[in-house]
Amino acid sequence: MASPADPLSTVARRAPLTAERKVRTDLDDVIPKPYVARALAAVDAEHKNGSPGHQHHDLSVLQQHVAFFDRDGDGIIYPWETYSGSCSFYCFYGFLRGWLPSPFFPIYIHNIHKAKHGSDSGTYDTEGRYTPANFENIFSKYARTKSDALTFTELWQMTEGNRVAMDPFGWISSKLEWIILYILARDRQGFLPKEAIRASMDGSLFEYLSKQESHLNIDLPTLTIVLDTDMRNTLLIDV
């Protein structure tokens, strides 16, 4: 006679991936209501209130993610307003106020939730809120070398694991976004720290990098290579 099923089990014996890619079962002990999507704060086990000192301005976390690139504060991001043009990887027509595309390729922050694509981590929901449990599960599933960071190989495996059928746009977009973040925020050992990923979710990472670039008067690619993890984590407290 088979033993009764555990309704809270996260592993199925005949589905090996459920054992290989573990999900956190202790989050209720470290994050209040970890499965509730946060509209304003990028929360994790180490930052229960989000990024210290970061101002949300009543924007959703996804809106905060891109708001740094709105250089004139008009709620519209044009390609020339970004440092690296990374925002142009998003599908611009999803942000328009009407049906006709603009030749200036604007991104309307108000409509940024329409840019959410498939094959992602699920950390943002379809309204632009942030779900702590899904963020934490990135690391429980894929961080094998260090529990609080991803290697490039682990990052790639994550994007492969998140792929859904018939979604080439999502496959490509997800890989491009994560590779750009890895180039910007990896440490000297080649790890992409958990804190850098979380801070990118609410845009505080970009604020931090901009402040350091201005202070040191060197370009961003050089800056991100020479800063080590300890300095990065220490200075993020003041963002």
Side-chain angles (χ1 to χ4, degrees), residues 174-194:
S174 180
K175 280 184 165 55
L176 285 173
E177 291 160 358
W178 281 99
I179 289 172
I180 289 171
L181 180 58
Y182 179 83
I183 292 171
L184 277 175
R186 71 190 187 279
D187 63 22
R188 288 186 176 187
Q189 288 74 43
F191 290 98
L192 180 58
K194 178 183 179 182

Side-chain angles (χ1 to χ4, degrees), residues 28 36 49 70 76 80 97 105 110 112-113 128 134 141 156 168 188-189 194 209 233:
D28 285 311
V36 174
N49 297 311
D70 179 17
I76 306 171
W80 55 85
R97 291 177 175 170
F105 302 102
H110 176 74
I112 194 66
H113 61 280
N134 291 348
K141 288 183 178 183
W156 188 269
R188 288 186 176 187
Q189 288 74 43
K194 178 183 179 182
L209 291 176
N233 288 343

Side-chain angles (χ1 to χ4, degrees), residues 84-153:
S84 63
S86 60
C87 283
S88 63
F89 288 110
Y90 291 102
C91 186
F92 72 91
Y93 60 78
F95 314 150
L96 301 182
R97 291 177 175 170
W99 289 99
L100 295 178
S102 166
F104 299 108
F105 302 102
I107 295 173
Y108 291 90
I109 295 176
H110 176 74
N111 289 329
I112 194 66
H113 61 280
K114 295 181 180 180
K116 180 175 164 61
H117 54 74
S119 301
D120 63 355
S121 68
T123 301
Y124 296 122
D125 69 9
T126 51
E127 293 74 41
R129 291 179 290 252
Y130 168 101
T131 306
N134 291 348
F135 176 76
E136 292 289 349
N137 284 337
I138 292 174
F139 303 93
S140 65
K141 288 183 178 183
Y142 299 102
R144 297 286 182 265
T145 311
K146 294 177 64 176
S147 62
D148 61 350
L150 297 174
T151 65
F152 184 83
T153 299

Side-chain angles (χ1 to χ4, degrees), residues 31-237:
I31 302 174
K33 298 184 178 180
Y35 304 100
V36 174
R38 269 65 166 179
L40 301 175
V43 173
D44 68 2
E46 293 75 34
H47 303 83
K48 296 177 178 59
N49 297 311
S51 300
H54 175 65
Q55 301 298 315
H56 57 70
H57 301 293
D58 283 323
L59 298 174
S60 73
V61 178
L62 181 55
Q63 289 176 325
Q64 296 170 50
H65 173 67
V66 300
F68 169 79
F69 298 98
D70 179 17
R71 310 310 292 168
D72 57 8
D74 64 354
I76 306 171
I77 303 170
Y78 293 99
W80 55 85
E81 289 187 288
T82 69
Y83 282 156
S84 63
S86 60
C87 283
S88 63
F89 288 110
Y90 291 102
C91 186
F92 72 91
Y93 60 78
F95 314 150
L96 301 182
R97 291 177 175 170
W99 289 99
L100 295 178
S102 166
F104 299 108
F105 302 102
I107 295 173
Y108 291 90
I109 295 176
H110 176 74
N111 289 329
I112 194 66
H113 61 280
K114 295 181 180 180
K116 180 175 164 61
H117 54 74
S119 301
D120 63 355
S121 68
T123 301
Y124 296 122
D125 69 9
T126 51
E127 293 74 41
R129 291 179 290 252
Y130 168 101
T131 306
N134 291 348
F135 176 76
E136 292 289 349
N137 284 337
I138 292 174
F139 303 93
S140 65
K141 288 183 178 183
Y142 299 102
R144 297 286 182 265
T145 311
K146 294 177 64 176
S147 62
D148 61 350
L150 297 174
T151 65
F152 184 83
T153 299
E154 292 165 348
L155 181 154
W156 188 269
Q157 291 171 341
M158 176 192 64
T159 61
E160 288 291 295
N162 289 337
R163 286 175 56 164
V164 296
M166 306 296 291
D167 183 29
F169 178 79
W171 304 339
I172 295 170
S173 297
S174 180
K175 280 184 165 55
L176 285 173
E177 291 160 358
W178 281 99
I179 289 172
I180 289 171
L181 180 58
Y182 179 83
I183 292 171
L184 277 175
R186 71 190 187 279
D187 63 22
R188 288 186 176 187
Q189 288 74 43
F191 290 98
L192 180 58
K194 178 183 179 182
E195 171 58 10
I197 299 172
R198 189 201 61 78
S200 75
M201 294 286 179
D202 66 4
S204 60
L205 175 67
F206 309 128
E207 298 170 3
Y208 163 74
L209 291 176
S210 176
K211 288 178 181 178
Q212 297 311 305
E213 186 271 341
S214 175
H215 176 68
L216 298 177
N217 197 28
I218 59 177
D219 60 77
L220 280 175
T222 302
L223 173 70
T224 56
I225 290 173
V226 301
L227 284 177
D228 61 25
T229 307
D230 290 337
M231 182 182 295
R232 190 185 306 276
N233 288 343
T234 300
L235 293 176
L236 272 171
I237 294 175

Side-chain angles (χ1 to χ4, degrees), residues 4-21:
D6 179 359
L8 292 178
S9 176
T10 62
V11 175
R13 183 170 55 85
R14 293 187 177 181
L17 272 180
T18 62
E20 179 183 336
R21 301 175 187 169

